[in-house]
């Protein structure tokens, strides 16, 4: 029997036990239940949606469909398709009347976030959204230390614009200073909207 | 040689000639250049984006990927995948600080818009977005008369909620009264944001 939380998420007693056993290492464990950053954010968004707090979704991966088979009496099967490069960021939605737009990225580096994680078109997209008074940022996980930061888009733009003059990454210290360390919670796991409130207060 | 407009769209002299020849039937022709409503809206969104007016995109079709082939030295090929039902509407983005969320639909009916064009989850999604002060609507094309309307989500909700008591469509007269007839233009072809301004004035 599958036991489910009210939000539809399955209850996994094994994971819970392992967490409570290791209470002293809480921060590390919460981020290390075998979930990717994407899964953690999707789950947090589901929590926000279920509780009427925000409507934020990950966009589907864009695909160029070449060949579809329509067998009788069953669902259409895509037989040939290719991944396309997305023209926007991965997540967007609405929160308290504000348009929210962000990207989620992980790095193994412990000291800086490499700009190679971004494509030019994502920067262009975020700049255009900010011009329309959208709230843009990146959620960055430093995989080695399990730390997650919300980094405002302005910091990214600053380093992106200066990239030609040398530095190809954003130092963690700059991210700490301009951004916010997101502390893991039980529900939602990655409570990033708390820190978006700070951005709203600062800018609107 | 491909001639392009400043917005990157290709110049098609054939289509232009056929339009000018038939000037008297302008309204019909503008909507009838062999473009689907989706193509017209995508082109309008591209115009809005290129001119710094708004950032609104169609979301990719959600797909469940089952099997991907990674041939050496060439792009990954999706060999088996299935269409998933979208959990949101097709279009969203940001305009003048407002979150914009809409669906585009066509009907062959001349007198009413059938509610069968919507899924429950789209209604739920639009209601959740409106609760967060997003601006939600549907762009409807009556294919026979080539008329396009912007219909505020409230009218849709009203008829959707009453569906069980009988009526399974929204009369065109109600759409005319609560919504806006969108007049075709050269650029952007479907200038729907003009009418979104009216919604903003009314509600914000």
């Amino acid at each position: 029997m599958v036991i489910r939380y009210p939000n539809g998420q399955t209850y996994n007693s094994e994971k819970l036990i392992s967490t409570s056993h290791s209470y002293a290492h809480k921060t590390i464990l919460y981020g290390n239940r075998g979930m990717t950053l994407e899964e953690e954010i999707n789950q947090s968004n589901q929590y926000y949606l279920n509780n009427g707090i925000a409507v934020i979704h990950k966009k589907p991966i864009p695909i160029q469909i070449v060949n579809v088979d329509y067998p009788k009496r069953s669902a259409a099967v895509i037989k040939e398709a290719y991944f396309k490069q997305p023209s926007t960021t991965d997540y967007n939605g609405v929160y308290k009347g504000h348009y929210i737009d962000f990207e989620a990225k992980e790095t193994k580096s412990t000291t800086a976030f490499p700009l190679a994680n971004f494509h030019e078109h994502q920067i262009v997209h975020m700049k255009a959204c900010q011009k329309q008074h959208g709230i843009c940022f990146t959620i960055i996980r430093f995989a080695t230390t399990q730390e997650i930061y919300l980094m405002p888009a302005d910091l990214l733009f600053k380093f992106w614009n200066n990239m030609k003059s040398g530095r190809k990454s954003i130092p963690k210290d700059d991210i700490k200073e301009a951004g916010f360390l997101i502390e893991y919670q039980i529900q939602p796991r990655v409570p990033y909207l708390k820190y978006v409130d700070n951005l709203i207060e600062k800018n609107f």
Side-chain angles (χ1 to χ4, degrees), chain A residues 135-140 148-153 175 178-182 191-197 199:
Chain A
I135 297 173
C136 303
F137 53 90
T138 306
I139 295 179
I140 294 176
I148 300 191
Y149 289 91
L150 185 149
M151 175 177 77
I175 296 171
F180 306 93
L181 175 68
I182 302 178
Y192 66 92
L193 286 179
K194 250 200 248 179
Y195 307 93
V196 168
D197 284 336
L199 290 182

Side-chain angles (χ1 to χ4, degrees), chain A residues 115 127 153-163 174:
Chain A
L115 289 166
K127 283 183 179 172
D154 282 335
L155 187 70
L156 173 61
F157 298 159
K158 186 182 139 193
F159 277 86
W160 189 266
N161 294 342
N162 291 334
M163 197 165 40
D174 288 70

Side-chain angles (χ1 to χ4, degrees), chain A residues 161-173:
Chain A
N161 294 342
N162 291 334
M163 197 165 40
K164 275 162 202 158
S165 62
R167 171 132 212 152
K168 301 238 179 313
S169 64
I170 309 174
K172 195 172 165 184
D173 286 342

Side-chain angles (χ1 to χ4, degrees), chain A residues 6-146:
Chain A
N7 69 357
Q9 185 198 334
T10 45
Y11 170 89
N12 189 327
S13 56
E14 233 175 83
K15 279 184 183 175
L16 281 184
I17 288 161
S18 87
T19 309
S20 59
H21 268 286
S22 324
Y23 189 71
H25 308 287
K26 193 173 76 162
T27 315
I28 291 166
L29 270 166
Y30 280 164
N32 201 10
R33 283 176 183 166
M35 289 188 117
T36 62
L37 177 61
E38 184 185 315
E39 286 167 338
E40 289 180 340
I41 291 174
N42 289 347
Q43 222 180 71
S44 303
N45 285 341
Q46 192 60 50
Y47 173 88
Y48 287 136
L49 184 66
N50 293 347
N51 291 276
I53 296 165
V55 184
I56 297 166
H57 288 277
K58 183 173 192 294
K59 292 191 183 177
I61 301 163
I63 277 165
Q64 180 70 50
I65 297 169
V66 176
N67 184 13
V68 183
D69 193 18
Y70 298 91
K72 270 186 196 168
R73 285 174 223 253
S74 48
V77 190
I78 299 161
K79 286 289 193 188
E80 186 186 355
Y82 298 89
F83 295 103
K84 287 199 293 187
Q85 203 177 49
S87 51
T88 67
T89 46
D90 274 356
Y91 297 87
N92 76 355
V94 60
Y95 170 57
K96 288 184 186 167
H98 294 281
Y99 173 79
I100 304 292
D101 196 292
F102 66 97
E103 195 63 33
K105 303 275 191 191
E106 297 195 64
T107 181
K108 283 177 183 162
S109 160
T110 53
T111 55
F113 187 74
L115 289 166
N117 279 287
F118 291 94
H119 298 289
E120 176 76 27
H121 60 85
Q122 291 175 320
I123 309 289
V124 169
H125 171 74
M126 284 198 265
K127 283 183 179 172
C129 288
Q130 269 205 188
K131 210 184 134 197
Q132 293 297 326
H133 310 294
I135 297 173
C136 303
F137 53 90
T138 306
I139 295 179
I140 294 176
R141 174 150 76 183
F142 288 93
T144 319
T145 54
Q146 298 286 345

